[in-house]
Amino acid sequence: MVSNFYGDVSVMPAVAEQEMNSWMQQLSVSHLGVFDTNAALKELYIYVDKYREQILENLESDIYCRKMHLTHKLENISCTMEGEETSTC
């Protein structure tokens, strides 16, 4: 069942970054006050930091992720979270 889900997701057409950003903004507004955003971001970053290499490898191996420069964006987020300037990343 889980394999089928991920298989189905992998063959779906890519969503434009602008469309995804718009949808995420709407979702964020609809859940305003429901949870602590900073705590959620911290938990996500802990997960990303733990699996950084695997995530970066997968982002680099996926053509859509490369087109959207997600590896670079994730590295900028990491720099920000670690207190480094993103211009040096």
Side-chain angles (χ1 to χ4, degrees), residues 68-88:
M68 293 189 293
H69 309 286
L70 295 183
T71 302
H72 180 70
K73 290 177 180 181
L74 180 58
E75 289 171 341
N76 278 343
I77 291 168
S78 294
C79 285
T80 300
M81 294 297 290
E82 298 297 328
E84 299 174 23
E85 290 188 33
T86 56
S87 61
T88 60

Side-chain angles (χ1 to χ4, degrees), residues 2-71:
V2 173
S3 310
N4 291 339
F5 171 78
Y6 285 107
D8 292 344
V9 169
S10 71
V11 296
M12 291 175 71
V15 176
E17 183 177 4
Q18 184 176 7
E19 185 179 349
M20 179 64 81
N21 288 341
S22 174
W23 185 81
M24 293 299 288
Q25 180 63 33
Q26 290 173 3
L27 185 63
S28 177
V29 168
S30 72
H31 288 89
L32 196 60
V34 175
F35 62 89
D36 184 350
T37 304
N38 289 332
L41 289 172
K42 180 182 175 191
E43 291 302 316
L44 283 171
Y45 183 71
I46 290 169
Y47 178 83
V48 168
D49 193 47
K50 181 176 181 179
Y51 298 102
R52 178 188 314 271
E53 291 306 314
Q54 296 96 320
I55 293 170
L56 290 173
E57 287 173 16
N58 283 298
L59 289 174
E60 277 300 310
S61 68
D62 185 280
I63 190 166
Y64 299 110
C65 293
R66 285 197 313 266
K67 285 181 180 179
M68 293 189 293
H69 309 286
L70 295 183
T71 302

